[in-house]
Amino acid sequence: MLPEGFEARMCALLGSEYEDFLASFDRPLCTGLRRNPLKTGFTGDLSRFSLSPVPWCPTGFYYDAVSRPGLSPYHAAGLYYLQEPSAMTPASILPIEHGDKVLDVCAAPGGKSTELGARLGGTGLLVSNDISASRAKALLKNIEVSGIGNVVITCEEPGKLISSFESFFDKILIDAPCSGEGMFRKDNKLIKSWQMNGPEYFAAIQKSILSQAAQMLKPGGYMLYSTCTFSKLEDEDNIQLFLESHPDFSLVDIFDSGIPSIHPYEGFSKGIGLPQCVRIFPHKMQGEGHFVALLKKDGEAIQDSPVHGR
C-alpha cells in the first residue's frame, strides 16, 4: 500500500518503467555481506552461504538468506559485515587512498565506516560521527569488531565538529538521513514514517549537513553525498542548490571519473538532470533504492605527515 503521492511522483519519474518498478516489490529482497580485508588470518570456508559477487563492491557478496550468516561465529568475529548490497555503493565510490583523513558524518550503525576503515588499511585517520548516542554505541561496537584501530568515534551535530576539524579531511562521506523511499521494499514501516516526515522535512536537514561538512574538507578533497531515497528534492535538487551556493565545488562524473578506485557498474542509472550522479532502482539492479553524488573541492590537495593506526 504505497502512498498516493509517492506513486504519482514515481510514475512521473519513471514513465514506461513504472510498472516494472512496482513489480519489483513482489520479488525477494537481496541480502549481502562484505568481507573484511583487515582480518587477514581468516582461512575459513564461506561457501555454505552460497555467495555470488556484488559487481560494484570488490569485497561485497550476495548470500542466500536461508543460510543466515548473521548467526555464524564468523560474523561475531568481524570477518564480514551484513549490508544491503546497494548500501555498499557510497563507500566503494569515494576514492579513498592510504594515509587519508576521512570523516563519516552520519556513520551509525557502521556499515559504511567499516568499509572506509578497511580501505584505509590501518593508515590515516577515520572519524566516525553520529548525532544519536544510542546509535553511536552500536557504531562503536561494529568498529571494534571489525578491528579498525585508526578511528575516533564522535557523537555530535555536524556543525559542532567544524571548530575542531575545519579544512581537515581529505575525504568526507555523508550518508544523509532521508525519507527512506528506496527502502520501502525492504521495510514497509518506513511508509508510515514517510507520511509523518516526507522529503520536504529531510531536504532541509540535508542542506545543512552538506554545508557544514563542506567546511571540514580540504582544498582538493572529495565529498560524497548519498541517500536511500528516490526523491529528486532530496537528491539532485539538493546537490544543485549546494553547487549554486558553493562555487568552489564541482560534480565529479562517476561514470567517467578517471579515478582508479571508482568502477561504476554498468547497471547504474544516471541522475535525473545531473547525469554525473548515480541512481539505483530495484527494478534495474539487485539492490534497493539509492542515490550517490561525488563532489570535489577546488584547489590543490594538501599532503600532511602520515598518520598511522596502531
Side-chain angles (χ1 to χ4, degrees):
M1 296 293 293
L2 296 171
E4 288 185 10
F6 171 75
E7 287 198 85
R9 180 160 48 78
M10 292 304 296
C11 185
L13 183 69
L14 293 172
S16 60
E17 296 181 16
Y18 181 63
E19 292 302 321
D20 291 337
F21 170 74
L22 284 183
S24 73
F25 282 79
D26 295 324
R27 292 201 298 269
L29 296 175
C30 298
T31 51
L33 62 81
R34 227 180 349 89
R35 291 283 298 268
N36 182 2
L38 297 179
K39 302 284 185 171
T40 55
F42 174 60
T43 58
D45 181 13
L46 299 184
S47 62
R48 72 183 74 171
F49 304 137
S50 302
L51 302 182
S52 59
V54 172
W56 52 89
C57 180
T59 56
F61 297 87
Y62 297 102
Y63 67 83
D64 183 353
V66 176
S67 65
R68 305 184 73 182
L71 300 180
S72 168
Y74 292 154
H75 179 243
L79 301 177
Y80 51 81
Y81 185 95
L82 301 184
Q83 189 173 33
E84 193 279 311
S86 290
M88 299 177 188
T89 311
S92 296
I93 286 178
L94 186 62
I96 299 296
E97 299 177 19
H98 279 193
D100 278 346
K101 296 174 181 175
V102 182
L103 170 64
D104 188 354
V105 181
C106 310
K112 296 170 180 67
S113 273
T114 51
E115 184 172 357
L116 295 172
R119 293 184 63 198
L120 284 171
T123 71
L125 174 68
L126 174 64
V127 176
S128 296
N129 177 73
D130 202 272
I131 193 172
S132 165
S134 60
R135 286 171 56 83
K137 290 177 182 177
L139 168 65
L140 174 60
K141 178 183 177 181
N142 286 320
I143 290 285
E144 288 180 333
V145 168
S146 295
I148 301 169
N150 53 324
V151 62
V152 174
I153 308 293
T154 57
C155 180
E156 281 288 4
E157 296 179 11
K160 292 185 178 179
L161 297 173
I162 297 171
S163 60
S164 298
F165 295 112
E166 188 171 3
S167 300
F168 181 82
F169 295 102
D170 301 287
K171 312 285 164 60
I172 295 178
L173 189 148
I174 306 169
D175 186 43
C178 69
S179 60
E181 295 175 353
M183 295 293 126
F184 283 179
R185 221 174 68 95
K186 183 180 178 182
D187 184 0
N188 59 20
K189 293 178 183 176
L190 291 171
I191 295 175
K192 185 174 181 179
S193 175
W194 182 92
Q195 290 169 328
M196 295 174 61
N197 292 309
E200 293 80 8
Y201 172 82
F202 284 100
I205 297 172
Q206 295 152 357
K207 289 173 190 172
S208 177
I209 295 174
L210 272 164
S211 180
Q212 292 163 346
Q215 299 176 61
M216 294 184 274
L217 189 67
K218 290 180 182 178
Y222 289 87
M223 183 166 73
L224 188 139
Y225 173 80
S226 69
T227 72
C228 57
T229 191
F230 301 118
S231 165
K232 190 169 178 284
L233 184 66
E234 299 175 73
D235 295 340
E236 290 92 347
D237 289 357
N238 253 346
I239 294 298
Q240 188 63 57
L241 287 171
F242 174 81
L243 291 171
E244 290 171 2
S245 59
H246 294 79
D248 55 334
F249 278 79
S250 58
L251 261 178
V252 177
D253 189 340
I254 294 173
F255 295 88
D256 187 26
S257 65
I259 300 172
S261 61
I262 299 178
H263 304 284
Y265 175 53
E266 62 181 8
F268 287 160
S269 298
K270 294 187 176 184
I272 310 299
L274 293 177
Q276 305 95 326
C277 305
V278 162
R279 272 184 175 263
I280 296 177
F281 293 103
H283 67 288
K284 290 188 173 184
M285 291 170 59
Q286 289 183 286
E288 305 310 309
H290 236 79
F291 172 84
V292 180
L294 182 62
L295 301 148
K296 188 176 189 293
K297 193 172 187 177
D298 292 347
E300 293 296 323
I302 302 170
Q303 297 297 323
D304 295 330
S305 300
V307 177
H308 299 285
R310 54 189 170 128

